[in-house]
Amino acid sequence: QVQLVESGGGLVQAGESLRLSCAASGSRFRFNAMGWYRQAPGEQRELVASITSGGNANYVDSVKGRFTISRDNAKNTVYLQMNSLKPEDTAVYYCYVRIFTSNYWGQGTQVTVSS
């Protein structure tokens, strides 16, 4: 059974940084893609960033230049470095991994950015 354990959320002021981590386990297959979604109150869940097993990364426009996604394949861990945080980045951030065509989700970690 695939399990995802997230860490690194918290409360910060605008302009500060946070680093999210997500460690995946429980699969004998390689994780094709790993990444992060977020969901703010009253909003739909949106894909923030994703990265393939080969290291190709994609970002939603609103975080380009501020967030960096990376992964350590040996540790099955994906990271999201978030710099220059803005109040509009406030949301619950969910880690996900894809194995073939199935997505698996973490429990979510709250990120709150005060102005």
Side-chain angles (χ1 to χ4, degrees):
Q1 183 176 357
V2 177
Q3 292 185 323
L4 303 178
V5 178
E6 301 161 344
S7 61
L11 171 64
V12 296
Q13 293 187 334
E16 295 184 339
S17 299
L18 280 174
R19 189 190 194 208
L20 305 183
S21 300
C22 174
S25 62
S27 173
R28 59 190 179 95
F29 298 107
R30 191 171 198 176
F31 301 115
N32 303 112
M34 305 180 81
W36 298 88
Y37 278 76
R38 67 185 178 187
Q39 188 166 22
E43 302 290 333
Q44 290 188 331
R45 190 175 294 192
E46 70 168 350
L47 177 61
V48 177
S50 64
I51 186 167
T52 67
S53 58
N56 292 318
N58 286 286
Y59 302 90
V60 68
D61 285 346
S62 60
V63 308
K64 287 180 180 177
R66 300 188 298 121
F67 291 10
T68 302
I69 190 170
S70 60
R71 63 187 282 175
D72 184 332
N73 290 329
K75 296 181 179 180
N76 288 328
T77 300
V78 62
Y79 306 95
L80 186 67
Q81 178 66 43
M82 306 185 292
N83 298 330
S84 302
L85 282 160
K86 302 177 180 180
E88 51 263 45
D89 294 318
T90 295
V92 178
Y93 284 69
Y94 297 91
C95 168
Y96 84 97
V97 298
R98 181 175 303 133
I99 303 171
F100 299 117
T101 59
S102 297
N103 285 347
Y104 299 86
W105 299 90
Q107 78 283 2
T109 185
Q110 177 70 46
V111 172
T112 303
V113 185
S114 64
S115 57

